[in-house]
Amino acid sequence: MIGILLMSHGKMAEGMLDSSQLFFGEEIEQLKTLCLAKEETVEGFDLRIRQILASLDEGQGVLVLCDLLGGTPANRCVSLLSEGQKIRVITGMNLGMLIEILGIRPALSSVDQLDLNELAEAAKGGIVDLAAMMEDLESSFLQE
């Protein structure tokens, strides 16, 4: 099974894990969080990234979900990608994306099998203006 690492500024990653446990149970295999603290050094953070990646990778690779493009968690993964680590890094993580990944993960034999376009669509699909959606539904209902 591929590993999943959730990385964020502050405790967002821990909140994502907590929320995903409502859907998938308390014990989600090979899913860990790494939260960047205000007082943490870049060197210390890099060391923690490497340790967690090593603990998550059982040969199928690790999917790293980061909170923000251009932020420290994502930026620190750039060197790992250039070193040839078997990881895929996606920024802009949200709960819809994580739930989609956890749902399809059992069918994947490698991190390379992930379709990033599908994941991006799942993430974007959850961004909806409910008032506008309700108006559209009401309008189409009245036209029928």
Side-chain angles (χ1 to χ4, degrees):
M1 182 179 300
I2 66 170
I4 300 172
L5 174 58
L6 307 176
M7 292 176 55
S8 67
H9 295 83
K11 301 206 182 262
M12 178 185 173
E14 290 175 1
M16 297 277 292
L17 172 60
D18 183 61
S19 294
S20 65
Q21 289 170 331
L22 293 172
F23 297 92
F24 292 92
E26 287 295 314
E27 296 299 320
I28 303 174
E29 291 181 58
Q30 287 179 257
L31 173 60
K32 293 187 179 183
T33 64
L34 184 55
C35 301
L36 177 63
K38 291 180 218 175
E39 65 280 349
E40 188 163 19
T41 65
V42 171
E43 295 79 15
F45 192 61
D46 284 350
L47 179 62
R48 290 198 310 138
I49 293 170
R50 290 176 184 282
Q51 290 171 338
I52 290 176
L53 288 175
S55 74
L56 284 170
D57 192 359
E58 294 181 348
Q60 294 82 20
V62 178
L63 175 63
V64 180
L65 300 179
C66 296
D67 58 353
L68 187 64
L69 176 63
T72 300
N75 290 347
R76 300 317 303 163
C77 292
V78 172
S79 63
L80 298 171
L81 289 167
S82 63
E83 291 173 11
Q85 290 262 358
K86 194 171 181 179
I87 62 173
R88 305 267 314 257
V89 181
I90 302 175
T91 62
M93 74 171 165
N94 66 32
L95 188 57
M97 174 191 291
L98 179 57
I99 289 170
E100 178 77 14
I101 292 164
L102 290 172
I104 65 172
R105 181 170 68 154
L108 302 173
S109 60
S110 169
V111 72
D112 296 326
Q113 289 183 314
L114 285 167
D115 184 333
L116 298 184
N117 291 326
E118 283 183 23
L119 294 179
E121 287 305 311
K124 287 188 266 184
I127 301 170
V128 174
D129 178 345
L130 284 177
M133 185 180 86
M134 296 289 289
E135 285 177 21
D136 290 345
L137 288 172
E138 194 173 287
S139 174
S140 65
F141 179 73
L142 292 175
Q143 289 177 3
E144 290 180 5

